Amino acid sequence: MRKLCEVAGRQDVVAAAFASTKTREVVELARVGRCARCAASPVPVEAVTKVVSRTFTGFDSWKAPAEGGLCTSCAWAYQHPDLRRSMHVVTTRPAMRAVTAADLERILSRPLDPDTAVVVPLRPGRKHILPHARWGGIAVEDTCLPWTTRDVAAVTAMRRLRALGFGARMLAEPAAPYPVLATIVSRRWPAVFADWDRLAPYRQVGQWWELALRATVSASAKGKK
């Protein structure tokens, strides 16, 4: 899959999200320096050890991990519990809002705009997702997925298959299970096979697959697992 890169000169997603909130919390700022995550400098920073736990392992995505502090917006991204639990969409206006499952389905029905970032905690509460967000992508777990016309075509195929009665576990199979296929008129089988093949490149991309299943659950006609 194509890797998302930051655009020079564009505001960081975390900074845009923080700027859009009404949060004016006062953090314990020990000094002025360079932010370990976003590399902003010179800015007031809070000690990294007071923001993330000793078990934190996400330093590989930081721009200046050797630094000892985090700026106000980056510290907020790691300390605000709701950012680990709920789905959000951020835009360059800047603006940020929580989204529902129905919102996510609509968002993934078209290519993502380059001025939009989406945050989807696949396992709510477990990981910090917002710090991995990039413009034009969907942050899931510790990575960010691009969302192009090819992804839209694949998730649309998944939605059609789920509407026909193929459950989440069935969709992971290399071929359409016959018990459900037998309930579909034979003249529609070529379209089913085409949709099944369209999903083939994604079956081994775990995070994409989980995201697509979440975005198509409403299409499941018979509730098959």
Side-chain angles (χ1 to χ4, degrees):
M1 282 191 170
R2 179 175 60 88
K3 184 179 180 180
L4 285 169
C5 299
E6 293 186 356
V7 178
R10 178 172 286 188
Q11 187 179 33
D12 178 65
V13 176
V14 167
F18 181 73
S20 72
T21 70
K22 298 185 182 302
T23 302
R24 292 295 181 267
E25 56 192 51
V26 178
V27 295
E28 186 179 337
L29 302 172
R31 60 185 177 85
V32 171
R34 188 184 187 201
C35 178
R37 179 193 164 271
C38 70
S41 177
V43 292
V45 295
E46 182 176 5
V48 169
T49 55
K50 293 186 177 181
V51 177
V52 297
S53 70
R54 294 181 179 179
T55 59
F56 179 76
T57 59
F59 301 105
D60 57 333
S61 64
W62 289 12
K63 293 181 178 179
E67 299 292 338
L70 291 169
C71 68
T72 306
S73 58
C74 289
W76 166 81
Y78 287 106
Q79 292 176 317
H80 201 297
D82 187 56
L83 298 176
R84 298 198 306 271
R85 294 192 298 257
S86 304
M87 298 184 291
H88 292 83
V89 60
V90 184
T91 63
T92 55
R93 285 187 186 85
M96 181 179 75
R97 64 180 177 88
V99 296
T100 64
D103 293 330
L104 180 66
E105 186 170 345
R106 286 192 294 271
I107 290 169
L108 301 193
S109 68
R110 66 189 70 177
L112 202 61
D113 293 333
D115 63 350
T116 301
V118 181
V119 178
V120 181
L122 296 177
R123 295 167 181 79
R126 287 187 58 187
K127 290 190 174 184
H128 300 285
I129 311 299
L130 180 60
H132 297 285
R134 297 289 183 271
W135 298 119
I138 302 172
V140 289
E141 299 305 293
D142 54 359
T143 191
C144 194
L145 303 172
W147 200 257
T148 66
T149 54
R150 187 168 176 262
D151 300 287
V152 172
V155 80
T156 301
M158 180 182 284
R159 185 174 296 111
R160 285 193 293 261
L161 292 170
R162 298 195 77 169
L164 290 172
F166 293 102
R169 293 178 184 173
M170 294 179 182
L171 291 171
E173 298 295 325
Y178 185 75
V180 177
L181 191 63
T183 67
I184 303 169
V185 293
S186 59
R187 68 175 180 274
R188 299 185 64 184
W189 286 12
V192 171
F193 297 149
D195 280 344
W196 211 271
D197 289 344
R198 188 170 285 111
L199 292 177
Y202 296 94
R203 288 193 174 92
Q204 303 305 316
V205 187
Q207 292 164 333
W208 188 99
W209 195 257
E210 287 186 60
L211 175 67
L213 287 175
R214 177 171 295 197
T216 58
V217 67
S218 68
S220 183
K222 300 177 182 180
K224 286 181 166 49
K225 304 296 183 185

